[in-house]
Amino acid sequence: MSSSVTLRQFWTQLSREGRWLLSTVAVQTLGRGLTLPFTVIYLHEVRGFSLDLAGALMAFIAVVALLVTGPGGALTDRVGARAVLLLATTCQLVGCAILAFATTPVLAALAMAFLGINFGMSWPAFNSLIAAVTTGEMRQQYFGINFALVNLGIGVGGIIGGIYADVSQPHTFTVIFLADAASMLVPIGLLLGPLRHVTSRHETPDDAEVGSGSYLAILRNPAVIGMTGLTFMAVFVGYAQLEAGFPAFARTVGGVSTGVIGFSFAINTAVIVLLQFLVLRRIAGRRRTRVMLVMCVLWALSWTTLGATGLVPGAAASIGVLTFMALFALGETMMQPTIPAITNDMAPDHLRGRYNAVNAGAFQAGAIGGPLFAGFVLDRGWSTAYVALLVAGCAVIAVLALVVERLIPPSVNGVPDEPVLTADPATGERAPQGQPGTT
């Protein structure tokens, strides 16, 4: 696909199944946005759970997700992405419905278990389904636009939830969690209707070695190891800090208001929604690993900018926080299309679920480890060391990207394979292999 492709051209070239899958993303994630920013508030201020217990329940989601990701990837390869996605989405519906009425920790834990199953199993299944309806450069474009629509849905949902939900009226939280549950009917209807024939399931080739589909065998692939490390570090340095370390640093070191922090997340959504397609046009046909290098530069600049907020007062610190978020979000628009595209272009068709599960596991491990790191360092007042280590982490991501570049073929890295030149015996001139020389 040419880098000059427009959004209309992308939509025209997309398969009918791809259009169905993409057109409902913002709607189904709007429900998630209604509840995502307010779950801890709901558990603590509405249901009366301690903050420690509320935090533990939120972490339980990630633990369950990590446990089911591997089985979810294997199941995706065995029965198909559509069936696994139906199961996972139904678990999300059930979990949100239980959470709406969870007056005890046991009920809340049960709800979180269902949410964790969805989070862990839906990732490899959904990415495999995308790979089943897209190919080549179209796949990278799709992952990027899907990311923008997810952010749009969550952002709009967060605004609506913030306006509607009121801790003095507990029923408002019951309503938004039930609305989140109801939003799952959209993908369920899609999977039972227009996408009922798309499975992404492929038979194992006859010449495949025995045991080649095990996770151990997959992790022996140096390229998979490189991508796993790269994904873990990108999440550890990026998303995990955005949700935990950044708010804590901005408040305790930068001294900015919660209003500024909230507005910064609105800027994050705006940058992604407004610039994602423009970025996709600029990176089309370029090496994906080199795009990751640009992301590392942007993230290093963003963390350095955040670190500077501790050295300046008042309004300057607030501007620094907002600048940090804009730079970070621009880096996100480069990460989100590239990592899943490399993973799915690298994966054999019959092992796509497992490859996506390995990548999802790396993401979840980073999401668990990142907040623990942020809490340990910032609780001790080591703010300078915190920023320095994150900038160093960006450098590690860059090194891993260059390592991966040497381990994957150009086609997996987003550019056509370079033709092998051979000499024409008649003329001595060199031409691409399989093509005649010039006469």
Side-chain angles (χ1 to χ4, degrees), residues 88 100 181 268 283 346 380 383 409 422:
N268 178 276
I283 69 176
M346 180 171 58
R380 285 158 178 76
S383 57
T422 57

Side-chain angles (χ1 to χ4, degrees), residues 76-254:
T76 296
D77 290 330
R78 290 194 181 103
V79 304
R82 188 185 75 92
V84 175
L85 203 54
L86 269 172
L87 171 62
T89 307
T90 302
C91 286
Q92 175 75 13
L93 187 156
V94 172
C96 288
I98 294 174
L99 198 55
F101 303 99
T103 56
T104 66
V106 172
L107 275 178
L110 179 62
M112 297 309 187
F114 277 106
L115 298 183
I117 293 171
N118 169 68
F119 186 52
M121 299 188 76
S122 65
W123 187 317
F126 187 70
N127 280 1
S128 296
L129 199 64
I130 290 175
V133 298
T134 57
T135 57
E137 189 63 41
M138 179 73 73
R139 185 173 291 165
Q140 176 171 286
Q141 298 271 355
Y142 192 106
F143 278 117
I145 294 173
N146 181 78
F147 176 62
L149 290 175
V150 166
N151 276 269
L152 177 62
I154 290 178
V156 173
I159 293 171
I160 296 172
I163 294 172
Y164 177 74
D166 185 347
V167 293
S168 66
Q169 301 183 56
H171 74 274
T172 60
F173 285 87
T174 300
V175 170
I176 63 173
F177 278 103
L178 289 178
D180 190 359
S183 70
M184 293 302 103
L185 296 174
V186 174
I188 289 174
L190 188 68
L191 293 167
L192 292 175
L195 296 181
R196 61 185 179 278
H197 61 284
V198 179
T199 67
S200 83
R201 183 177 179 275
H202 296 271
E203 296 294 336
T204 302
D206 294 335
D207 58 352
E209 296 182 10
V210 176
S212 62
S214 69
Y215 281 110
L216 184 59
I218 291 171
L219 287 169
R220 289 196 186 105
N221 182 340
V224 172
I225 295 174
M227 281 302 299
T228 301
L230 190 155
T231 301
F232 171 82
M233 283 302 302
V235 176
F236 186 94
V237 170
Y239 288 113
Q241 305 310 321
L242 194 67
E243 296 177 2
F246 157 66
F249 189 101
R251 282 290 294 155
T252 61
V253 181

Side-chain angles (χ1 to χ4, degrees), residues 328-412:
F328 188 92
L330 185 58
E332 287 182 81
T333 65
M334 298 180 183
M335 171 187 166
Q336 284 297 333
T338 51
I339 287 182
I342 291 174
T343 300
N344 282 277
D345 284 353
M346 180 171 58
D349 288 337
H350 68 292
L351 297 177
R352 199 175 302 283
R354 291 175 175 87
Y355 271 69
N356 277 300
V358 169
N359 189 254
F363 190 104
Q364 290 153 5
I368 293 171
L372 295 176
F373 160 78
F376 179 83
V377 175
L378 293 176
D379 189 52
R380 285 158 178 76
W382 300 339
S383 57
T384 301
Y386 175 74
V387 172
L389 287 171
L390 292 180
V391 172
C394 293
V396 172
I397 298 171
V399 171
L400 288 170
L402 293 175
V403 169
V404 169
E405 183 173 302
R406 294 196 296 269
L407 297 173
I408 58 178
S411 58
V412 172

Side-chain angles (χ1 to χ4, degrees), residues 292-331:
M292 292 293 293
L293 296 184
V294 178
M295 181 211 77
C296 290
V297 172
L298 288 168
W299 279 8
L301 285 173
S302 70
W303 288 118
T304 302
T305 301
L306 182 67
T309 62
L311 306 175
V312 294
S318 297
I319 293 172
V321 166
L322 300 181
T323 303
F324 155 81
M325 189 60 88
L327 290 170
F328 188 92
L330 185 58

